[in-house]
Amino acid sequence: MACVTLTDTTKVYPGGVKAVDRVSLAIADEEFIVLVGPSGCGKSTTLRMIAGLEEATSGTIRIGDRVVNDVPPKDRDIAMVFQNYALYPHMSVYKNMAFSLHLRRRELGLSKAEIDRKVREAAVMLGIEGLLDRKPKALSGGQRQRVAVGRAIVRNPKAFLFDEPLSNLDAKLRVEMRAELKRLQRRLRTTTIYVTHDQEEAMTLGDRIVVMKDGVVQQCAPPLEVYDRPVNRFVAAFVGTPPMNFLNGRIVRQNGGLAFDEGTSVLPLPTSLVRSLERHADQAMVLGVRPDGFSVEAPPGGPHARLGVKVNLVEPLGDRKDVYMTTAAQKALVGRVDGRISVVEGQELHMFIDMNRVHVFEPGEMGVNVTATRGGAQASAN
Ligand code: ADP
């Protein structure tokens, strides 16, 4: 086990695409870290540089205390699990799992009996001990994925690297396997770096998540901190479903305090935000409201504001319902409200907004969250 450290790591592919741009990350020993972001943001390239499958153009990569930039993949003591499993089709499950150990048996000083013990132990851990004689083609997708993980476990590596390992599985199995991977990592305590484009997978798996865009780390923090204190509008929009609503408007002065004028309603802002917003008074800004920040009835306690809306569509989800709505000034808003409350399409009503939970961003797709550090808490941009 080991920490993994990237310092100003950059990758420019031949042809000039800068896939990874000065990424610095300190991944702690035993940590489960998830690289997440839209397709093409550079997460696989980052992982492949750690694995040694791509050479870094500049910057350093350390595994433990050792700089590994020039160390070939096989000598980095890491195990990688891919989306396509990459199992040997002609070998049994047992042989697939034992293969890399047999190859390096002398180097690792392992007896055949020790290899056998490792393979069987890993198989039990993954619940595939009854499948050891089967060939990969006689396995389901989930079972193949377990074999691929088993093959990584037996090597007892310094770190596991996972590249979208669950994307080929159906939705139900994906949820099961991700819980299993999390349990396994807790048990083995092996430093794990996991790549996914799925923000929900990232939120549920990571001790910390690293949100990337265009090769640049936007935020690196525990999942809840990223959710509650996104550093910018990109991160705010990427994490959470349905995504955060963004209302265009202005910060205005009202009754000795500040308010957000969204064009049709003026929403008083709580005093806790005045310090961070004072310098933006009279400026065009963007108000961020999570879907569950809306409610049909006044939320208990706390400051709330009323927003006049027209309901266009209601999607019942059982205990909750998603309400798609507009104001004269805002084109598309979605609120997630209590499922038992009656709201119908075409209805005009006042929605309440829990103003303790709103965010205020500078304009633009990458607008900085000027309220991310409210209450003295530090949002960590990496
Ligand atoms: P992600 O894993 O986030 O989808 P990648 O790391 O695969 O992103 O890719 C990052 C960027 O680098 C993309 O613009 C992609 O097109 C480009 N890229 C990836 N691999 C290569 C390659 N071998 N040659 C040139 N460009 C590449």
Side-chain angles (χ1 to χ4, degrees):
M1 286 177 286
C3 48
V4 176
T5 315
L6 274 61
T7 312
D8 288 332
T9 307
T10 296
K11 174 70 183 181
V12 182
Y13 281 110
V17 176
K18 193 183 264 185
V20 175
D21 191 0
R22 281 169 296 148
V23 165
S24 292
L25 285 175
I27 301 160
D29 189 20
E30 302 187 6
E31 189 173 24
F32 197 138
I33 202 147
V34 182
L35 309 182
V36 66
S39 178
C41 72
K43 45 196 194 298
S44 294
T45 302
T46 304
L47 195 75
R48 290 170 66 80
M49 285 194 288
I50 298 169
L53 302 174
E54 295 289 351
E55 198 179 330
T57 309
S58 59
T60 50
I61 301 169
R62 283 189 181 77
I63 298 177
D65 295 332
R66 183 165 71 140
V67 173
V68 295
N69 287 55
D70 297 324
V71 176
K74 68 177 177 49
D75 297 328
R76 292 194 184 192
D77 201 5
I78 44 101
M80 188 144 172
V81 177
F82 298 93
Q83 177 179 349
N84 60 9
Y85 322 132
L87 301 176
Y88 300 109
H90 57 288
M91 287 186 196
S92 66
V93 167
Y94 183 97
K95 284 197 174 144
N96 261 289
M97 287 170 67
F99 184 66
S100 69
L101 297 182
H102 275 298
L103 264 190
R104 309 182 76 183
R105 190 156 75 84
R106 291 214 173 73
E107 194 183 325
L108 299 169
L110 288 171
S111 68
K112 281 190 177 154
E114 280 165 325
I115 293 176
D116 184 65
R117 183 180 53 79
K118 279 173 177 286
V119 170
R120 288 181 194 281
E121 259 178 30
V124 169
M125 224 182 273
L126 292 158
I128 52 171
E129 66 273 30
L131 307 174
L132 289 172
D133 295 331
R134 288 210 201 159
K135 296 271 172 61
K137 69 172 185 309
L139 301 175
S140 69
Q143 290 167 335
R144 280 180 212 170
Q145 189 57 65
R146 285 193 180 86
V147 178
V149 173
R151 198 171 49 176
I153 291 176
V154 294
R155 293 174 48 192
N156 196 20
K158 287 211 172 85
F160 290 134
L161 308 184
F162 288 100
D163 193 356
E164 303 255 7
L166 307 182
S167 4
N168 283 348
L169 306 178
D170 66 51
K172 184 163 172 286
L173 195 55
R174 224 166 32 225
V175 171
E176 277 171 33
M177 278 298 288
R178 99 182 165 209
E180 221 169 278
L181 281 180
K182 177 108 178 171
R183 270 198 301 277
L184 201 65
Q185 201 267 348
R186 290 272 179 274
R187 178 165 167 190
L188 297 169
R189 297 174 165 275
T190 307
T191 310
T192 298
I193 307 165
Y194 188 106
V195 160
T196 180
H197 63 276
D198 179 341
Q199 57 90 24
E200 191 178 294
E201 205 166 285
M203 295 287 281
T204 51
L205 281 173
D207 295 323
R208 283 189 300 161
I209 67 178
V210 181
V211 184
M212 295 181 69
K213 180 180 189 300
D214 298 337
V216 177
V217 172
Q218 303 294 317
Q219 188 164 9
C220 170
L224 269 185
E225 185 174 326
V226 172
Y227 184 82
D228 288 335
R229 293 199 290 276
V231 293
N232 60 33
R233 182 167 161 182
F234 172 80
V235 175
F238 190 73
V239 171
T241 34
M244 187 184 279
N245 297 282
F246 299 106
L247 290 74
N248 294 310
R250 301 186 77 75
I251 305 283
V252 294
R253 295 185 191 280
Q254 190 191 49
N255 303 333
L258 295 175
F260 187 83
D261 180 354
E262 68 84 45
T264 49
S265 303
V266 178
L267 316 170
L269 289 156
T271 46
S272 59
L273 294 185
V274 166
R275 233 178 81 193
S276 28
L277 292 176
E278 180 57 42
R279 68 195 170 93
H280 298 286
D282 306 318
Q283 288 177 8
M285 298 293 275
V286 175
L287 186 76
V289 185
R290 293 259 179 227
D292 61 359
F294 286 105
S295 56
V296 178
E297 289 169 0
H304 50 258
R306 281 155 55 98
L307 179 68
V309 299
K310 176 161 191 233
V311 176
N312 301 315
L313 180 73
V314 179
E315 277 183 357
L317 299 165
D319 60 334
R320 312 245 123 202
K321 57 178 66 154
D322 285 349
V323 179
Y324 292 84
M325 53 206 178
T326 46
T327 73
Q330 314 295 331
K331 283 198 294 284
L333 301 173
V334 56
R336 180 161 279 191
V337 303
D338 191 323
R340 285 159 303 187
I341 284 175
S342 153
V343 189
V344 292
E345 284 160 26
Q347 189 177 348
E348 291 188 15
L349 77 159
H350 279 97
M351 278 277 183
F352 290 93
I353 298 177
D354 179 350
M355 297 304 281
N356 263 335
R357 292 181 49 216
V358 300
H359 302 267
V360 180
F361 301 90
E362 291 177 344
E365 195 199 336
M366 300 300 293
V368 169
N369 182 353
V370 298
T371 50
T373 56
R374 79 180 76 166
Q378 277 296 312
S380 61
N382 195 307

